[in-house]
Amino acid sequence: EQVVIRGIAHDPDVAKIALLGVPDRPGVASEIFQAVGGRGVNVRMIVQASAEGGKNDVTFAVGTHDVKIVLPVVEAARATLGARAFLYDPDVAILSVVGEGLATSAGTAGTVFRVLAEADVNIELISTSSITITCMVRQSDVERAVRALHQALQLEQGP
Amino acid sequence: EQVVIRGIAHDPDVAKIALLGVPDRPGVASEIFQAVGGRGVNVRMIVQASAEGGKNDVTFAVGTHDVKIVLPVVEAARATLGARAFLYDPDVAILSVVGEGLATSAGTAGTVFRVLAEADVNIELISTSSITITCMVRQSDVERAVRALHQALQLEQGP
Ligand SMILES: C[C@@H](O)[C@H](N)C(=O)O
Ligand SMILES: C[C@@H](O)[C@H](N)C(=O)O
């Protein structure tokens, strides 16, 4: 099946925010992102892995310019939900490989991750679907990561 | 900015697999997904949140029919990487809301999560990008979740 890579996007002007130890029950993700969205903030990436012991962490990325709006919203959500803590890390970047048939291509995620590994880029967050492979990396690594991806994926796509 | 929702996709015939406690260093995601991809397995969703103490968990979904191929590959990766454990949960489903401008729409993720909350669907994993909002839920919840999303999103999009 044809894998079509439409493009590689990246943005160094983002920050990571996470709410740690939220209750794992319906309505929690809704509360957080309705509050954030209600302030007109665009959420660029959301990652939530499996809950443990009835608690989970919810991690997301927003544009650097939105941080001052989001932090008080997140602190309010933390208090309302009884979450243990929130985490804020501005020194990050996101990169995305967008295509069609990514999930039906057995190899694309492995290829993207191999290229990043060969460029000595540590992958901090991963969020994929059938259309997009999105990674969060250190801000200082993203340009090197994107150059490596352009080179490798171009070679594989042919002239 | 116009939010265009292209569709709602779902698949009840998936399983969740996770490698727990992998080392947080370049090459680990590459090792796992090159091995899985190398067996021709399509990875439907990958979620990885932040590492702690030099370790991380890597969670992904594959089609039910691919589980027998993937489990030995994952066990081999677990041993190679020195990961603490792997987790396998077949009783899950994935649903995706696909559109344009999702990340530039401040509200779409909150809306999707609100609709799921109102349908009393617990959201187990979340993976989003600018184009897709993907959630993993209990298999027994997915039909109700998808019906609720179709109803709610149709109303918001107008006639
Ligand atoms: C943690 C959060 O995602 C919760 N499970 C919810 O459904 O909202
Ligand atoms: C855990 C895994 O994603 C690792 N950080 C890597 O870069 O491969």
Side-chain angles (χ1 to χ4, degrees):
Chain A
E1 162 133 22
Q2 190 59 27
V3 178
V4 177
I5 291 178
R6 298 242 168 266
I8 301 166
H10 76 286
D11 191 345
D13 293 323
V14 295
K16 176 172 76 172
I17 295 174
L19 267 170
L20 307 181
V22 301
D24 179 35
R25 56 167 172 77
V28 169
S30 172
E31 169 119 15
I32 296 166
F33 293 101
Q34 283 196 87
V36 172
R39 302 299 309 276
V41 171
N42 306 320
V43 177
R44 315 288 299 282
M45 177 187 197
I46 301 171
V47 170
Q48 176 190 295
S50 301
E52 269 182 70
K55 301 279 186 190
N56 211 339
D57 301 333
V58 183
T59 307
F60 58 100
V62 296
T64 304
H65 57 282
D66 278 331
V67 167
K68 58 188 179 299
I69 299 168
V70 174
L71 287 182
V73 171
V74 171
E75 170 52 27
R78 189 207 60 77
T80 304
L81 294 168
R84 178 179 93 243
F86 83 79
L87 181 157
Y88 162 64
D89 184 348
D91 190 29
V92 297
I94 52 182
L95 62 88
S96 283
V97 176
V98 182
E100 286 165 14
L102 291 187
T104 54
S105 133
T108 309
T111 299
V112 169
F113 301 149
R114 186 205 79 219
V115 172
L116 295 181
E118 287 170 357
D120 203 31
V121 174
N122 195 44
I123 305 167
E124 301 192 3
L125 300 183
I126 302 171
S127 154
T128 80
S129 68
S130 55
I131 306 172
T132 332
I133 295 167
T134 302
C135 295
M136 181 179 282
V137 300
R138 275 301 99 184
Q139 216 169 58
S140 52
D141 284 348
V142 75
E143 296 301 329
R144 178 169 90 256
V146 172
R147 274 198 309 273
L149 283 170
H150 274 290
Q151 270 190 319
L153 296 178
Q154 220 155 24
L155 289 170
E156 299 201 8
Q157 298 254 284
Chain B
E1 162 135 23
Q2 189 60 27
V3 179
V4 178
I5 292 178
R6 298 240 169 268
I8 302 165
H10 75 287
D11 191 345
D13 294 322
V14 296
K16 175 172 76 170
I17 295 174
L19 267 170
L20 308 180
V22 300
D24 179 36
R25 56 168 172 77
V28 169
S30 172
E31 168 118 16
I32 295 165
F33 293 101
Q34 283 195 88
V36 171
R39 302 299 310 275
V41 171
N42 307 319
V43 178
R44 314 288 299 282
M45 177 187 199
I46 302 171
V47 170
Q48 175 190 297
S50 301
E52 270 181 70
K55 302 277 186 192
N56 211 339
D57 301 334
V58 183
T59 307
F60 59 100
V62 296
T64 303
H65 57 282
D66 279 332
V67 167
K68 58 188 179 302
I69 300 168
V70 174
L71 287 182
V73 172
V74 171
E75 170 52 28
R78 190 206 61 74
T80 305
L81 295 168
R84 180 181 92 241
F86 83 79
L87 182 156
Y88 161 65
D89 185 347
D91 189 31
V92 298
I94 53 182
L95 63 88
S96 282
V97 176
V98 182
E100 286 166 16
L102 292 186
T104 54
S105 132
T108 309
T111 298
V112 168
F113 301 150
R114 187 205 79 220
V115 172
L116 295 181
E118 287 170 356
D120 203 32
V121 174
N122 194 44
I123 305 166
E124 301 192 3
L125 300 182
I126 302 171
S127 155
T128 79
S129 68
S130 55
I131 306 172
T132 332
I133 295 166
T134 301
C135 296
M136 182 179 283
V137 301
R138 274 302 98 186
Q139 216 168 59
S140 53
D141 283 348
V142 75
E143 296 302 327
R144 180 169 90 255
V146 172
R147 274 198 309 272
L149 284 169
H150 273 290
Q151 270 189 320
L153 297 178
Q154 218 154 27
L155 290 170
E156 299 200 8
Q157 298 255 285

